[in-house]
Amino acid sequence: MATVLICRRFPRLSRVMKFSTAAKREAESGSSKSKQENEEHTEAANTESVATIQLLNPLNYRVLYNPSAYAKSRAAPQQHVAGSSGQAPGDDFPSPGTAQVQHTPGPASSQALPPIGKAPPKAEANPLLEQTLLAQLSAAQAKEEAGKENIETHNSKEDPRVFQKGRPEYRSLSYQFEPADTLSLEEGDSILCSVARHWGSQSPAALGDQFCQLSHLPVEQHAALLSEPRFNTLCRRAVGAIGLFSTADLINVLKACVRLAVPPTHPLLNACENEFCRRVWDMEVDQLLLVADCWRCLERSVPSYLSILFSYANRHWKDLTLPQFVQLIYIIGEGRRSPVDLVPKVESMILKYLDSFTLEEVGAVCLGLFKSLSEISDHVARKIADRVSLQMEDMSSYALVNVLKILRCARVDHLPLLKELGKVIPTRIPTINIQGIMHITLTCSSLHYFDEGIMAAVAASLPSKVTYCRSKDAAKFLWSFGCLDYEPPNEEEFYSSLIEQMHRKLHEFRKFPEHLLTGLLGLAFVKRFPEELIDYALRDEFIRKTRGSKYELRKDLFTLGKSVEIECPSYQGSRLPPQLCQEVTEMVLNFAEQEIYIRPEIAEAASLLESMLGGPEYVKNHMILPHTRSSDLEVRLAADGRPIPFNFTDPVAEMKLQDIGVSLTDDLMAQLTKGRWNSPSPVENEARTPCAGDRAALSDEALLANASLEAEPKPRPWLEAPSPLASNRQSQGVKLALQVSNRNHYCYSSKRLLGLHCLKRRQLRRLGYAVVELPFWEWFPLLRRTRLEKLSYLQYKVFDPALLGAG
């Protein structure tokens, strides 16, 4: 087993903790950067380093590697593909060996092919392959295979075509990667010689047969064949006669190109695509799907062909068999685009065949919908979840993860499936590859579903696999655990390993800045602040990169920057520009005024508090911390429990009041109300408009009149004698931040607060606020009750003696 010597560097790691010893352990378990990174930062002279031995092949961890079954998407130059239709058959071919194909074992030759005129070329005297080339290819292949055995590449995935093994019908709908009879080198050379001899006299069927025969050469010979001038001549002849091929022969040529791993921009493929687009309406469904599958295997983008295919499918939708439908959804997913007009028909077909699908086909359909960003209805998503929850133990982990992806996107909280997931998945975690584990974890956090068994199993398995994480994977893990506010039993090892991986992948964040912010916010939720990564994320250079992202990242930068200001007072790194903070604050506040402050549960609480305390100047419905993007009802109480007015709409009046500095005593309040302090008339109290502080002195009768009920309310706390706790308080009193929570603030079907709202309440307390919650399970039912009941509840919450004594 291969080992690697890693030099581990310990950067500064800030964490807000109660005990200094815990904080010291945090700082010592920071992150490291790989020595192989070309763009890593220069280490300080006093950086402490230690050497550790790390196994590159963790015990009992294997991931299927089948590159020919799942070709990584590679964007071909669009201008070349778009212009291929106008290329004449006689144009010069570029060297096919210049593009490297993933499932070609040997390196392709970069030798440029000489231009070939119309005259028949002379037969080449050189043999097809030299012995030296064979030796080089064998050595390269052996080296590559050895590397694959020891190191799992970050993008290795399981075979998405496993579902095709469940029915024989897929053999006619898809390209089958199966071994075939091998053609000898002598036979291959003989075919190439006949190409040179029979210039222009061969029929399209004969040309197609020659392609098929040559594609059965040993795999290690394919790269040399593609750079062979005589093969180039064969391709030219096929292009010239492309319109004369029968559809079956043309499909055989395309399948031969798959076996030979012809580069996706090859002129022969350009001609084939144009011809297939012309023939779509004359082909059968099986042929159309087979050709689309071949394009996928060749890694060639064919948007025109797919558009025509989808139009054909849209017209013949009711005629699709179950295998044809599943294969079509697979093609739609691999093409990363979904025709809008097909979505309703897709849903109807899913419901039609759902009970007949194999479990792997269910997973394939979900993956296709997920990759194509298709939005399905809650009804269909729940039907899929119903089917899976009953047979989850019999389902492969790969198919199950694909189902979780589509449920996550549809935001479907299917409790039976989630509960069954908690029984099945924890024991499978060690056998699932890193991307699968990431999707499981992300599904739980996206649906706000907390299952400690799943999360603990992920945390236990992750440190040994962390080097296989892409930047995206590491960020999603940190976000998921932070979102659910879960710190596992091995929290130090878990978080330090992920922070180290974030350092190793720092170069990837330059291209995907959203992943760095995702990971850092997840860490902030659980009070972890790796200062070096934060300093990098708040630099002007990185902020400029975020502007080029397809996501709106300014709000995430704002949340991170302000959280660091509040929770890391000793932080000396980069800070957010004031202009950006102002822009985002205005953006968030404008949204809050239109969407948040007017919510019924918040507006009702604000209105009742104003009525109870004495007017709008005693309550402020706003965002105390705009970077947390949720509202608060701020109330201030004096040391004796009396409400203090502070919310003045006129800033001049507020300034004058502050400058005068007069204390609002009982005697002064009695004078201001012109002797009405002890007015016995509840009607008079209700009818008049109170001034500042007047409502604070409302009698019990006034409250009863406001509520329009004949009942005896409890006496007001600020009219009672001060409690012993209140008498010991300082004169500044207490600032209350009332939180009107809802279900989205908590984990699913629980009272476990999510990470963002834990962060908000933690920061409010650091700023001197006493956090008071109106939990949705108490407040929402009260919204349907009487006004007096709601006022009594708010009185109980606001004037809790424990709040006055807490300061």
Side-chain angles (χ1 to χ4, degrees), residues 600-612:
E601 67 273 15
I602 296 176
E604 178 76 357
S607 175
L608 290 170
L609 284 171
E610 291 176 4
S611 175
M612 182 179 75

Side-chain angles (χ1 to χ4, degrees), residues 526-582:
V526 291
K527 300 176 288 187
R528 295 175 184 267
F529 298 90
E531 295 188 2
E532 291 183 1
L533 292 175
I534 292 172
D535 175 66
Y536 178 80
L538 299 183
R539 292 178 187 172
D540 292 340
E541 178 185 0
F542 184 82
I543 293 174
R544 286 194 296 270
K545 291 183 182 297
T546 62
R547 298 191 183 114
S549 173
K550 62 181 179 180
Y551 304 100
E552 172 56 70
L553 300 179
R554 288 182 298 171
K555 291 187 288 187
D556 290 341
L557 281 169
F558 187 48
T559 301
L560 177 64
K562 289 299 181 182
S563 295
V564 172
E565 287 183 14
I566 295 172
E567 302 204 51
C568 302
S570 62
Y571 172 74
Q572 300 296 324
S574 304
R575 302 277 183 176
L576 285 181
Q579 182 180 358
L580 186 146
C581 294
Q582 182 179 356

Side-chain angles (χ1 to χ4, degrees), residues 17-65:
M17 295 191 68
K18 186 174 180 180
F19 301 102
S20 60
T21 55
K24 183 177 179 181
R25 288 198 303 270
E26 289 283 343
E28 293 176 350
S29 62
S31 59
S32 68
K33 297 181 181 179
S34 173
K35 294 194 296 182
Q36 285 80 14
E37 302 294 349
N38 295 326
E39 301 173 349
E40 66 179 353
H41 301 292
T42 305
E43 295 184 0
N46 60 349
T47 302
E48 180 182 0
S49 300
V50 294
T52 60
I53 299 295
Q54 180 178 354
L55 299 179
L56 290 183
N57 189 8
L59 192 62
N60 296 329
Y61 181 63
R62 297 186 62 189
V63 175
L64 298 179
Y65 183 81

Side-chain angles (χ1 to χ4, degrees), residues 451-740:
D451 185 291
E452 188 169 7
I454 295 176
M455 303 302 289
V458 170
S461 178
L462 192 62
S464 63
K465 304 179 182 182
V466 75
T467 54
Y468 305 142
C469 286
R470 304 165 298 174
S471 58
K472 176 181 179 179
D473 300 324
K476 296 297 186 183
F477 279 123
L478 290 173
W479 169 266
S480 299
F481 276 73
C483 177
L484 297 176
D485 191 38
Y486 178 64
E487 296 191 77
N490 62 332
E491 61 176 290
E492 297 302 327
E493 179 188 19
F494 174 79
Y495 280 110
S496 63
S497 65
L498 281 171
I499 293 173
E500 289 176 8
Q501 186 67 3
M502 296 276 281
H503 276 277
R504 296 188 194 103
K505 297 297 181 180
L506 199 61
H507 63 287
E508 294 185 15
F509 296 130
R510 296 185 179 95
K511 185 176 181 181
F512 304 104
E514 61 272 12
H515 297 331
L516 178 58
L517 295 178
T518 295
L520 290 178
L521 286 177
L523 286 167
F525 293 162
V526 291
K527 300 176 288 187
R528 295 175 184 267
F529 298 90
E531 295 188 2
E532 291 183 1
L533 292 175
I534 292 172
D535 175 66
Y536 178 80
L538 299 183
R539 292 178 187 172
D540 292 340
E541 178 185 0
F542 184 82
I543 293 174
R544 286 194 296 270
K545 291 183 182 297
T546 62
R547 298 191 183 114
S549 173
K550 62 181 179 180
Y551 304 100
E552 172 56 70
L553 300 179
R554 288 182 298 171
K555 291 187 288 187
D556 290 341
L557 281 169
F558 187 48
T559 301
L560 177 64
K562 289 299 181 182
S563 295
V564 172
E565 287 183 14
I566 295 172
E567 302 204 51
C568 302
S570 62
Y571 172 74
Q572 300 296 324
S574 304
R575 302 277 183 176
L576 285 181
Q579 182 180 358
L580 186 146
C581 294
Q582 182 179 356
E583 291 175 359
V584 181
T585 299
E586 292 176 358
M587 179 197 313
V588 172
L589 294 181
N590 289 337
F591 174 80
E593 291 176 357
Q594 299 174 12
E595 300 290 340
I596 299 179
Y597 299 157
I598 61 176
R599 290 175 181 170
E601 67 273 15
I602 296 176
E604 178 76 357
S607 175
L608 290 170
L609 284 171
E610 291 176 4
S611 175
M612 182 179 75
L613 299 177
E617 56 268 44
Y618 290 89
V619 182
K620 189 172 184 178
N621 183 7
H622 68 132
M623 289 184 174
I624 299 175
L625 302 177
H627 64 277
T628 60
R629 310 172 207 172
S630 56
S631 68
D632 313 273
L633 296 173
E634 184 175 355
V635 173
R636 297 183 184 180
L637 302 178
D640 59 357
R642 181 181 304 281
I644 301 176
F646 68 98
N647 182 26
F648 299 95
T649 56
D650 184 0
V652 177
E654 182 180 8
M655 184 180 299
K656 290 181 179 179
L657 181 64
Q658 291 175 347
D659 291 342
I660 294 173
V662 178
S663 300
L664 296 175
T665 63
D666 290 351
D667 293 338
L668 178 59
M669 292 295 296
Q671 295 176 17
L672 291 174
T673 57
K674 299 179 181 180
R676 300 183 196 176
W677 179 269
N678 295 319
S679 172
S681 173
V683 177
E684 181 181 1
N685 280 334
E686 182 183 10
R688 66 185 176 87
T689 302
C691 61
D694 198 359
R695 288 286 186 88
L698 286 177
S699 63
D700 294 345
E701 292 82 5
L703 177 62
L704 192 133
N706 285 335
S708 300
L709 293 173
E710 299 295 332
E712 284 287 340
K714 297 180 179 179
R716 312 304 273 172
W718 60 85
L719 297 178
E720 298 174 358
S723 66
L725 290 174
S727 62
N728 294 329
R729 284 189 47 79
Q730 299 178 358
S731 59
Q732 67 268 24
V734 61
K735 296 185 295 185
L736 303 183
L738 278 75
Q739 313 282 298
V740 183

Side-chain angles (χ1 to χ4, degrees), residues 315-335:
R315 180 173 298 184
H316 299 86
W317 194 258
K318 295 182 179 180
D319 299 330
L320 293 179
T321 65
L322 185 153
Q324 289 173 343
F325 168 73
V326 176
Q327 182 67 17
L328 178 64
I329 298 301
Y330 166 74
I331 294 299
I332 289 175
E334 296 305 298

